[in-house]
Amino acid sequence: MSKEEYEEDEFKDPTDVVLSNNGAGAIPMEKKPGKLDNGEEEGPVTMAKNITLVRGTCIIVSTIIGTGIFITPNVISKNVQSPAMSILVWLGGGCVATIGGITFCELGTMFPSNGAEITYLRKAYGMLVSFLSCFLLQLCIGGLRRAIQFLSFSKYFWAIFYDATKGEAPPWILDKAVCIAVLVAIIAIIMIYPSVTLKIINVMTAAKLISVSVIIVIGIVKLSKGEFENINQGFEGTNWNPQMWGNAWNSVLWSYNGWNVVCILLGEVKDPTVLPKIVGCSVAIVTLFYMMTVISYHSVLDMETMNTAQVAVASEVARKYLGESGVIFFAVAVAVSALGNTMCSLLGTSRYLQAAGAQGVLPGVFGLISRRFRTPVFALFYMFLATTLFVLVGDLSSLINSATYTSFAFTTLCSIGVIVMRYTKPDHPRPIKVWLIFPMITASFGIYMFIIPWFSPTRAMNAMWLAITIVGGIPVYFACVNKQYRRPVLVKFSEKVTAFVGKHLNSEVNLQ
């Protein structure tokens, strides 16, 4: 970015500002050279560019494969009503992820820095749209995604004690109490023992891979014996209702969520021009892996079992071939994998919120770091409150629909932004220039996903509340963020809250 572009850009890069550490709030000020504790001159700090083709592929694969493959296959089959169509929907999800990833390749190489959507939306539409994406996805409903992970954990945890096929289920209050208790424990570990957190995540990731491999092996064994009675239904009974298909696409896109993660880390990629290869290889691996797992589900279970809403699909596969001991092992393994994804989400998002607070995008109180534990104490506390709220008020399938709806809306805007910037920034360097058919396909699919919920009374209500939330973020932006219109009284109030919380939590605002 040139000096002239920087001076015109309302949202400064975090490496270009430092903040006051008096605990009063996040006030950007000009960065000045200084010395480190060892007496050496302080210089600009940048992230090491150590992500290669192989490492980038591994990052995306590891991010995408999570709890979705365990909790959404029955939702998809319930909506499309046939094994063959269910498998094709999973294949279609891989195609959409691939096309979306290729579209993001142009954006990523145009602006080769960390941030992905926040940067792309700001460059295409301005700071307001970028702020609204952060306001909605991270501040307002960030707890929704984490609630999905906790409810996924709960679904498999209770499969150890209750047989869902017989209508057995834990009391509502007990189910929610366990989720919240586990949330408190994880928050405490992340806050007090950050190094231990990373070791726990590694163990949980191994458990996830083992459990998925068991499903695939079971399916291979069954098909090798010539037992095709369940999957032979093919396309028979397929439901062509577009509204039901919208529900299925919501679930499958949730399961593929994470294909754009390499763009968030693009500032650390050695050669940004390898982005198409990274996206193509990673999504192909995940799609193949998912399809093998879904084929195993439909080979072992009939459609009636698959369509039972209360069935934990992976646990049912284990029960049929491994007995009750297999169900217990599998339920524990999947529950642990869900917690692993949750810990990753809490760990990463807490740092995101802390940086946003320290940079002045969010109130300064979010930027507080504990002097004792060196962790973002208030950000973690806020995420506890937000996640608890969604755990209490939502069920798993409705939360998945809402989460996918909101996240894909801004992805669609980014895809349209590729077309917009072909005209608004025609001379901007584009190391990778994709065919316009790719962003057009992604945008068209996103528009379809945006329209469909309005034809369902239940989902239309969710969509309406999300639209109201976005509109509500506009006055927040002008009152608190926009330099020309923000209210001094709100700035002073934010500073007082930050000072009060910082004092009592023994923490201060700092830019990491």
Side-chain angles (χ1 to χ4, degrees):
M1 178 184 295
S2 66
K3 180 179 180 181
E4 290 75 20
E5 290 176 323
Y6 175 80
E7 290 175 347
E8 293 175 358
D9 200 340
E10 181 181 359
F11 183 78
K12 310 304 186 199
D13 190 283
T15 60
D16 292 321
V17 297
V18 295
L19 306 166
S20 58
N21 286 340
N22 57 9
I27 312 298
M29 55 189 179
E30 187 176 348
K31 185 171 182 177
K32 298 180 180 179
K35 291 187 177 182
L36 302 175
D37 293 339
N38 59 9
E40 296 179 359
E41 291 293 330
E42 182 181 8
V45 179
T46 59
M47 300 296 290
K49 293 182 176 292
N50 53 15
I51 297 180
T52 60
L53 171 61
V54 175
R55 291 176 180 174
T57 301
C58 291
I59 288 173
I60 295 182
V61 171
S62 179
T63 303
I64 295 178
I65 298 178
T67 58
I69 191 62
F70 303 115
I71 65 177
T72 60
N74 59 336
V75 177
I76 294 169
S77 65
K78 185 178 180 180
N79 282 281
V80 300
Q81 292 292 319
S82 69
M85 189 56 68
S86 175
I87 295 170
L88 285 182
V89 167
W90 283 92
L91 176 61
C95 294
V96 172
T98 301
I99 295 172
I102 293 174
T103 301
F104 267 54
C105 287
E106 176 169 328
L107 294 171
T109 53
M110 285 180 69
F111 311 109
S113 60
N114 292 350
E117 283 95 337
I118 291 179
T119 301
Y120 308 154
L121 293 172
R122 177 167 56 91
K123 294 294 185 179
Y125 308 105
M127 177 59 181
L128 174 59
V129 177
S130 179
F131 168 79
L132 290 176
S133 69
C134 177
F135 176 78
L136 178 65
L137 298 181
Q138 298 296 342
L139 191 60
C140 294
I141 62 171
L144 183 150
R145 300 183 182 189
R146 291 180 290 277
I148 291 174
Q149 293 164 331
F150 276 102
L151 292 174
S152 174
F153 154 77
S154 173
K155 184 174 184 177
Y156 281 91
F157 174 78
W158 291 117
I160 302 173
F161 308 101
Y162 295 92
D163 188 349
T165 59
K166 298 179 181 178
E168 299 177 359
W172 181 90
I173 186 67
L174 181 60
D175 182 29
K176 303 300 183 181
V178 168
C179 285
I180 295 173
V182 173
L183 171 61
V184 171
I186 292 178
I187 290 286
I189 294 172
I190 294 175
M191 183 181 298
I192 302 174
Y193 305 107
S195 60
V196 174
T197 302
L198 299 177
K199 297 178 182 178
I200 294 175
I201 289 173
N202 290 337
V203 173
M204 291 180 173
T205 301
K208 173 178 62 178
L209 296 176
I210 291 172
S211 60
V212 174
S213 298
V214 170
I215 297 176
I216 294 176
V217 169
I218 291 175
I220 292 174
V221 170
K222 181 175 176 62
L223 292 178
S224 66
K225 295 180 179 179
E227 300 176 4
F228 300 99
E229 63 276 7
N230 293 327
I231 204 169
N232 269 346
Q233 179 181 334
F235 292 97
E236 181 182 348
T238 298
N239 180 12
W240 297 102
N241 186 315
Q243 182 178 314
M244 301 294 282
W245 272 70
N247 295 336
W249 279 115
N250 262 316
S251 297
V252 77
L253 289 179
W254 169 260
S255 300
Y256 278 97
N257 188 39
W259 50 263
N260 62 334
V261 67
V262 74
C263 293
I264 299 176
L265 302 171
L266 190 57
E268 301 166 53
V269 176
K270 286 185 176 181
D271 179 10
T273 60
V274 303
L275 269 179
K277 294 180 181 179
I278 293 177
V279 172
C281 292
S282 58
V283 176
I285 292 171
V286 172
T287 302
L288 178 62
F289 201 89
Y290 275 4
M291 291 187 65
M292 290 177 64
T293 306
V294 174
I295 290 173
S296 295
Y297 284 144
H298 284 289
S299 299
V300 175
L301 304 175
D302 56 41
M303 286 300 296
E304 181 179 355
T305 304
M306 284 288 295
N307 294 343
T308 304
Q310 298 301 318
V311 169
V313 180
S315 295
E316 286 304 310
V317 171
R319 176 181 285 112
K320 190 165 185 178
Y321 272 82
L322 303 177
E324 291 302 319
S325 60
V327 172
I328 295 175
F329 161 77
F330 204 88
V332 170
V334 178
V336 168
S337 74
L339 292 183
N341 289 333
T342 303
M343 293 189 78
C344 291
S345 175
L346 290 170
L347 186 67
T349 305
S350 64
R351 273 62 179 175
Y352 178 94
L353 291 174
Q354 189 278 326
Q359 296 166 27
V361 179
L362 295 180
V365 67
F366 283 93
L368 290 172
I369 296 178
S370 169
R371 292 188 179 96
R372 179 179 180 184
F373 303 118
R374 302 300 189 212
T375 51
V377 55
F378 184 83
L380 286 167
F381 176 71
Y382 171 80
M383 289 193 296
F384 162 73
L385 295 179
T387 305
T388 299
L389 174 64
F390 282 104
V391 166
L392 291 175
V393 303
D395 67 86
L396 193 58
S397 60
S398 65
L399 290 182
I400 289 176
N401 287 335
S402 298
T404 308
Y405 181 80
T406 54
S407 61
F408 208 75
F410 290 103
T411 300
T412 301
L413 284 178
C414 287
S415 300
I416 297 175
V418 173
I419 304 173
V420 170
M421 286 188 285
R422 289 288 181 93
Y423 297 94
T424 60
K425 301 180 185 295
D427 299 324
H428 195 288
R430 289 175 171 81
I432 295 176
K433 193 172 183 178
V434 303
W435 294 338
L436 285 182
I437 189 63
F438 289 129
M440 288 178 180
I441 292 175
T442 306
S444 299
F445 190 83
I447 293 172
Y448 163 76
M449 295 296 295
F450 178 82
I451 293 175
I452 284 297
W454 296 95
F455 292 93
S456 168
T458 303
R459 295 183 62 202
M461 184 63 65
N462 292 337
M464 184 183 69
W465 280 114
L466 291 172
I468 292 174
T469 303
I470 293 176
V471 173
I474 297 177
V476 175
Y477 166 76
F478 284 103
C480 302
V481 178
N482 185 278
K483 292 182 178 180
Q484 184 178 355
Y485 299 103
R486 63 184 180 187
R487 302 294 88 189
V489 63
L490 294 178
V491 175
K492 292 181 179 179
F493 176 75
S494 175
E495 292 176 355
K496 290 181 179 179
V497 170
T498 303
F500 177 82
V501 176
K503 177 181 178 181
H504 288 82
L505 293 181
N506 189 27
S507 55
E508 65 180 30
V509 176
N510 200 359
L511 182 63
Q512 289 296 99

